[in-house]
Amino acid sequence: MKPFLLLASRAEDDAAAEEYEAFLRFGKLKPHQLQRIRLEAGPLGHLNPDEYSGIIVSGSPFNASDPDSSKSDLQLRVESELGALLDDVVERDFPFLGACYGVGTLGRHQGGVVDRQYGEAIGAVEIKLTADGRQDPLLEGVPESFSAFVGHREAISVLPPNAVNLAGSSTCPVQMFRIKENLYATQFHPELDVPGLLTRITVYRHAGYFPPEEADAVRASVRHADVSVPPLILANFVRRYAR
């Protein structure tokens, strides 16, 4: 089997390590089956999708909708590299799954509008599949309604013209969409369980997602959430595209 590729951009080692372990665990992959490239650590360089079964882009502290004038050189580099990669990936309709940050990258690349209209605070929300979502093979075995963790400042407010909306929530109409047959993005985190979110609350308590003094209350609010369904999407992605 060709490995899958995880493109990550978290500079904080604790969050980055736990994120990678979560993709391994829920994708039911061994370390040699999931190659990771940390984009914040250095240039991506040439990448040949033919060497992989599929590509996953994980969450990021970057916001695609921020004005370019406010973005760091690092963010601008990462965005440029991902944009060039998506030129190739979309043309090929190559298996792709973007988790949270993937909405901004794939959505903007395909002509959607990403802004702060539908940001959501850290916590569990109810996700509901659309009619198209109920028929999508990547959502096989996923119930029509389920809980998932979110925490994002930006989201899709206008879908790309060629996108299919697969799921939404009451506070964010586009929680998952598909481009062509094999390109997916989720606004919620399919890899995030309670321990993983608790780590991120600690790591990012000064990142502006919530007042730092409310960190204990935010932790308490998520400790008993049932987010057992979203990892099925990762397992489905691996099962469907492993080759």
Side-chain angles (χ1 to χ4, degrees), residues 216-227:
D216 287 343
V218 176
R219 290 189 194 95
S221 72
V222 304
R223 286 187 188 278
H224 301 293
D226 179 1
V227 289

Side-chain angles (χ1 to χ4, degrees), residues 30-51:
K30 304 294 186 183
H32 69 276
Q33 296 173 322
L34 183 62
Q35 179 182 337
R36 179 179 59 161
I37 296 176
R38 293 182 63 172
L39 298 173
E40 89 289 347
L44 176 60
H46 175 70
L47 192 153
N48 182 3
D50 288 335
E51 298 177 358

Side-chain angles (χ1 to χ4, degrees), residues 13 22-23 58 116 118-119 121 131 149 171 180 183 231 236 241:
D13 288 339
F23 277 106
S58 63
R116 299 202 174 205
Y118 296 114
F149 281 139
T171 49
K180 295 186 174 181
L183 305 155
N236 285 348
Y241 293 116

Side-chain angles (χ1 to χ4, degrees), residues 57-97:
V57 172
S58 63
S60 173
F62 301 145
N63 291 294
S65 63
D66 287 346
D68 284 351
S69 60
S70 71
K71 294 176 181 178
S72 66
D73 290 343
L74 171 60
Q75 180 173 351
L76 291 171
R77 173 178 64 77
V78 170
E79 289 182 353
S80 176
E81 291 172 343
L82 288 177
L85 177 63
L86 283 171
D87 289 343
D88 187 19
V89 165
V90 172
E91 182 178 358
R92 295 169 181 249
D93 194 16
F94 187 81
F96 176 91
L97 177 62

Side-chain angles (χ1 to χ4, degrees), residues 92-135:
R92 295 169 181 249
D93 194 16
F94 187 81
F96 176 91
L97 177 62
C100 195
Y101 187 50
V103 165
T105 52
L106 181 60
R108 291 188 73 195
H109 183 273
Q110 290 298 288
V113 176
V114 179
D115 56 30
R116 299 202 174 205
Q117 184 175 355
Y118 296 114
E120 294 176 295
I122 290 175
V125 299
E126 183 183 20
I127 308 293
K128 292 187 176 181
L129 302 184
T130 65
D132 288 313
R134 292 193 292 272
Q135 301 298 318

